[in-house]
Amino acid sequence: MRYGFTTGSCAAAAAKAAAYMLLTGFKKIEITIETPKGIPYKANVLDIMRSENEVRCAVEKDGGDDPDITTGTWIYAEVSYAEENVKQGIIIEGGIGVGRVTKLGLDQPVGNAAINRVPREMIKKEVLEVCRLADYKGGLRIEISVPEGEKLCERTFNPRLGIVGGISILGTSGIVEPMSSQALIDTIRVELRQRRALGYDYVAVSPGNYGLDFMKKTYGYDLDKSVKCSNFIGATIDMAVEMGFQKMLLTGHIGKLIKVAGGIMNTHSKEADCRMELLAAFSVKEQLEPFQVKRILECVTTEEAVSVIEKSGKLQQVMEQIAERICYYMKNRAGGKMKTDCILFSNEYGELAKSKEAEEWFILLGREQAQQI
């Protein structure tokens, strides 16, 4: 599969091309930069606008074979001479369509443009190379902009993270690897770090929107203020422990969390799918009839399997066993360094079970939400 290049690489390429045209006076329709990964990026230079004191141009984002919403977007850089009092140095700013940081715990301080550290380093490195080539020792001002950024922002994690007004200029390697899960894990890390920066030593997490909606509807708590861990439950636990969290509440649909009851910490179907086998095993332990266990094994969905268990009259017992086992494996993954609780639900039956001390979370989370209103 074909890899692509990050918004950070595009910004650096556009900035280098614009700086070259400003300082040399020559037009540049193609530019090459070196990514942190060591892979050269050769980009076409688009929509060039030149004047005596500034140059603006764009590079089109190519996400490769990764399903990236920014693919095809034009990333602009405008390079101009810095004010006279800036004798040397590169000033990097965000323009239209580049988000602005409003919450603690992100790569950039509150108030800064959401141009992350590595892209800033890439931009500076590439532009300084041009300065050396042109023997220019003065200062330059670089503004990165993304005309479509404000619209694209609505389809990213940025509003949730507290980045407003546009997309982020991202990338640590400079390239986009097809189907890489690293971007999701990085987002989870950011959300955890933000929460820790606000002083909380406890965190409620959920694999996805089902869990968020359930908590809001059932308990009135907006989990959107907390962390969405996708399939990466084990990695989320690891990062939470690393950051010093003391408690974690995991809320999720039985279809996801039943896997955790078997010690599976990445719940994506390509990693493992033994939902019916685990439900059948817990049902055997609670002495369901053999024909009922057989029906569970033949089910296609966990909702269907839960219905079979419910008709046996032992739904509560089975689900309590599952909740207990989920907490066991979460605690085991955390190395005993973090207290763990869970809440299980299904679409049809609502709450199925919760760990013994999960009730304490409703007080804790309710108090936090009241403080945020």
Side-chain angles (χ1 to χ4, degrees):
M1 297 180 78
R2 188 172 64 89
Y3 57 76
F5 294 91
T6 63
T7 48
S9 289
C10 295
K16 183 177 185 179
Y20 179 89
M21 288 186 276
L22 178 67
L23 298 180
T24 69
F26 296 110
K27 189 175 182 180
K28 194 76 170 171
I29 61 171
E30 200 173 68
I31 198 77
T32 300
I33 67 164
E34 183 85 2
T35 64
K37 188 84 169 180
I39 298 172
Y41 174 34
K42 190 175 185 179
N44 294 323
V45 182
L46 309 168
D47 200 19
I48 299 168
M49 291 164 277
R50 301 163 65 190
S51 70
E52 185 179 348
N53 294 314
E54 62 185 36
V55 174
R56 184 173 187 254
C57 63
V59 166
E60 184 176 352
K61 169 72 188 307
D62 178 8
D65 289 331
D66 193 66
D68 188 333
I69 66 162
T70 59
T71 292
T73 303
W74 286 19
I75 311 296
Y76 282 83
E78 181 177 286
V79 179
S80 57
Y81 294 110
E83 294 78 3
E84 290 184 8
N85 60 334
V86 182
K87 294 182 179 179
Q88 286 184 309
I90 306 297
I91 301 166
I92 300 171
E93 298 175 344
I96 293 171
V98 172
R100 189 71 51 177
V101 177
T102 66
K103 290 185 180 180
L104 296 171
L106 292 168
D107 181 275
Q108 292 295 301
V110 171
N112 270 24
I115 305 172
N116 278 9
R117 179 183 57 82
V118 173
R120 285 176 184 270
E121 291 172 355
M122 292 172 66
I123 292 166
K124 186 175 181 181
K125 171 181 173 291
E126 298 296 340
V127 170
L128 285 176
E129 182 182 312
V130 174
C131 290
R132 285 191 291 271
L133 176 69
D135 195 30
Y136 176 72
K137 296 181 173 60
L140 291 176
R141 178 183 177 275
I142 301 166
E143 181 181 279
I144 306 300
S145 60
V146 186
E148 296 179 57
E150 192 167 356
K151 186 176 180 181
L152 287 172
C153 173
E154 298 169 5
R155 297 165 59 193
T156 71
F157 280 100
N158 276 11
R160 178 180 171 86
L161 296 175
I163 298 171
V164 300
I167 65 168
S168 300
I169 305 300
L170 301 169
T172 55
S173 67
I175 68 167
V176 178
E177 298 183 51
M179 305 306 291
S180 171
S181 60
Q182 192 58 49
L184 270 174
I185 292 174
D186 288 347
T187 299
I188 297 166
R189 183 182 293 278
V190 168
E191 292 195 28
L192 287 170
R193 191 168 65 227
Q194 277 189 308
R195 186 163 178 82
R196 200 71 186 94
L198 290 171
Y200 297 110
D201 65 355
Y202 60 91
V203 60
V205 303
S206 179
N209 290 328
Y210 281 157
L212 306 183
D213 293 343
F214 171 78
M215 282 293 283
K216 192 167 186 177
K217 182 178 178 181
T218 308
Y219 302 113
Y221 178 73
D222 189 356
L223 262 184
D224 196 50
K225 296 180 174 65
S226 204
V227 175
K228 188 189 292 187
C229 65
S230 186
N231 292 299
F232 305 104
I233 293 170
T236 302
I237 292 171
D238 295 343
M239 291 185 283
V241 170
E242 176 190 325
M243 293 179 198
F245 283 95
Q246 299 299 305
K247 298 179 184 178
M248 177 181 286
L249 171 66
L250 176 64
T251 302
H253 188 274
I254 182 65
K256 284 283 186 189
L257 298 201
I258 183 59
K259 297 181 185 182
V260 183
I264 297 164
M265 290 291 161
N266 183 332
T267 57
H268 196 287
S269 57
K270 73 177 182 181
E271 298 290 334
D273 189 3
C274 53
R275 295 166 299 159
M276 305 314 159
E277 290 83 353
L278 284 164
L279 284 167
F282 284 105
S283 296
V284 168
K285 189 174 181 182
E286 290 300 325
Q287 300 181 340
L288 267 71
E289 296 293 336
F291 79 91
Q292 293 170 319
V293 175
K294 182 175 182 293
R295 282 188 60 194
I296 291 169
L297 288 169
E298 292 170 349
C299 289
V300 176
T301 67
T302 49
E303 290 282 345
E304 184 184 358
V306 168
S307 178
V308 174
I309 299 169
E310 194 272 337
K311 287 172 184 173
S312 76
K314 295 185 177 180
L315 182 61
Q316 182 179 346
Q317 296 94 312
V318 172
M319 293 301 152
E320 285 178 354
Q321 290 275 353
I322 291 170
E324 183 181 328
R325 207 64 182 162
I326 289 168
C327 289
Y328 167 82
Y329 279 115
M330 289 177 66
K331 183 178 179 181
N332 184 65
R333 180 66 178 241
K337 296 178 181 178
M338 183 171 64
K339 185 180 179 299
T340 57
D341 287 292
C342 75
I343 300 175
L344 288 170
F345 67 89
S346 83
N347 295 338
E348 184 175 350
Y349 295 96
E351 183 185 291
L352 296 173
K354 56 180 176 281
S355 54
K356 293 178 181 177
E357 297 181 28
E359 290 283 352
E360 296 177 6
W361 280 88
F362 304 141
I363 300 170
L364 196 63
L365 297 174
R367 185 183 302 133
E368 176 189 332
Q369 186 156 287
Q371 291 170 348
Q372 293 172 342
I373 294 172

